[in-house]
Amino acid sequence: MTPKNILLRSEEMPRQWYNVLADIKLNPPLGPDGQPITPESLAPVFPMNLIEQEMSTQRWIDIPEQVLEVLSIWRPAPLIRASGFEQALKTPARIYAKFEGGSPPGSHKPNTAVPQAYYNKVFGIKKLTTETGAGQWGSALAFACSQFGLECKVFMVRISFDQKPYRKAMMQVWGGHCVGSPSTETEAGRKALAADPDNPGSLGIAISEAVEAAVSDGSGQTRYALGSVLNHVMLHQTIIGLEAKKQLAMVGEFPDVIIGCAGGGSNFAGLSFPFILDKMHGRKIAILPVEPQACPSLTRGPFGYDHGDAARYTPLLAMHSLGHNFIPPAIHAGGLRYHGMAPTVSQLAREGLLEPQAVSQLDAYRAGVLWARSEGNIPAPETCNALAQVVREAEKAREEGKQKVILVSFSGHGLLDLAAYEKYFSGHLADAILEEGAIEKAREMLKGHPAPLDLKSL
Ligand SMILES: *Cc1c(COP(=O)(O)O)cnc(C)c1O
């Protein structure tokens, strides 16, 4: 019988990250002049060692020793055979969950926060600024900065700032400083407030504020950190899938289906990219990024060049996008409320290597509650979206009588999201499906930007 908790020994932790840029082609990010951006143009925003990593096409990249040391506080992370969930669903499928809820802030995000803080420190940076949606990324970066003695300033999307006070406190415990966004501290924030004093905020606006706060700091020792979307973030997260691959091999398994929720794409990419080469070489794996129906960038958003933030400070990225000024409905999976999607994930979806899915908010909580009752751990609202797709796949396996192996990213615990569960139980949560008009607006907006090339990696 397969053990419930499949563990790696600490010396089996991966010592290199997998860089998908060695194996796919991407449209380059474009500057304001419509030309591919240069490393130098990013220098006020990121340290040069991370910019080099962002642009690297080397397949394997060594994980620095000091980074491994901090990651080993909670890594290698467990792979859990979800036998209780399988029984509850009466499915012949075997379900494995890669558990990222055991990190100090409770999600996969420190997998990249830690190396980002490290590379900034090595480069001589003293302070990092960032944005956060639900507070997961802000708390991850505050934790990472505390490990390397950096200051940390976080712009938190207003709606979450009000709904999730304990994430703020967490950042404070680790020495970070958190303000609600839009704030009056930046030009971008003041503009958003002038247009709408009750602006609930969005990741797009918060990114604008954090970038502005970094580049306008006169000391030259402040930089910005992003928790998802960019190539180096996807790279750092591949430790998830590299570990999971080893763990599955220990019990003689290989996944037929890989599932992860996708906000900016990082936990999904982290779990699935180490299996992409297998798929490119003919292995049959269904790789499913899952998003909420309220913010369907991959399933319904057009592919084109768009900015990563509302104030258009960031370069144009070739991605699936709902438009850089898109403000999604106020669903509780704050980490899934981003308008865009990682260019790497977008490109792979475009080439048909991924099969994007969207689920309803109520189905997500239903799956999350079933998981908690059968497996114990209470999933983050974001993770519930992935679990809802696991339910669909498990039911399909039952109908087809197939013994599939399903691998899912359990991206974080929901112990600071209990207010959302409370709303679910009291019947105060609704489904929000984005109307077609919003998609049409996104199409119009992207038409005003340069058109990306139709690339083929294979
Ligand atoms: C931030 C977050 C996500 C979404 O971000 P990705 O970059 O798409 O992974 C998903 N789950 C949890 C628990 C998060 O904190």
Side-chain angles (χ1 to χ4, degrees), residues 107-109 136 227-228 261-268 335-336 380 382-383 411-412:
S107 77
H108 65 289
K109 293 208 167 73
Q136 286 275 20
S228 191
C261 64
S266 75
N267 85 90
F268 164 76
L336 305 183
E382 293 84 358
T383 309
S411 54

Side-chain angles (χ1 to χ4, degrees), residues 318-404:
M319 61 182 176
H320 281 278
S321 175
L322 296 167
H324 58 257
N325 56 3
F326 176 70
I327 297 187
I331 55 164
H332 280 266
L336 305 183
R337 295 179 76 244
Y338 184 60
H339 69 272
M341 184 55 66
T344 45
V345 173
S346 296
Q347 179 63 29
L348 285 166
R350 210 165 151 70
E351 294 190 33
L353 287 158
L354 314 178
E355 298 157 51
Q357 309 291 323
V359 299
S360 83
Q361 176 157 253
L362 289 175
D363 280 348
Y365 280 95
R366 211 169 283 132
V369 169
L370 185 67
W371 180 278
R373 290 179 182 175
S374 55
E375 290 292 329
N377 282 300
I378 298 177
E382 293 84 358
T383 309
C384 290
N385 285 262
L387 296 175
Q389 188 62 33
V390 174
V391 170
R392 285 180 180 166
E393 297 299 321
E395 286 172 348
K396 199 156 70 179
R398 184 180 64 211
E399 282 154 23
E400 294 170 352
K402 279 199 184 142
Q403 296 208 352
K404 283 185 208 170

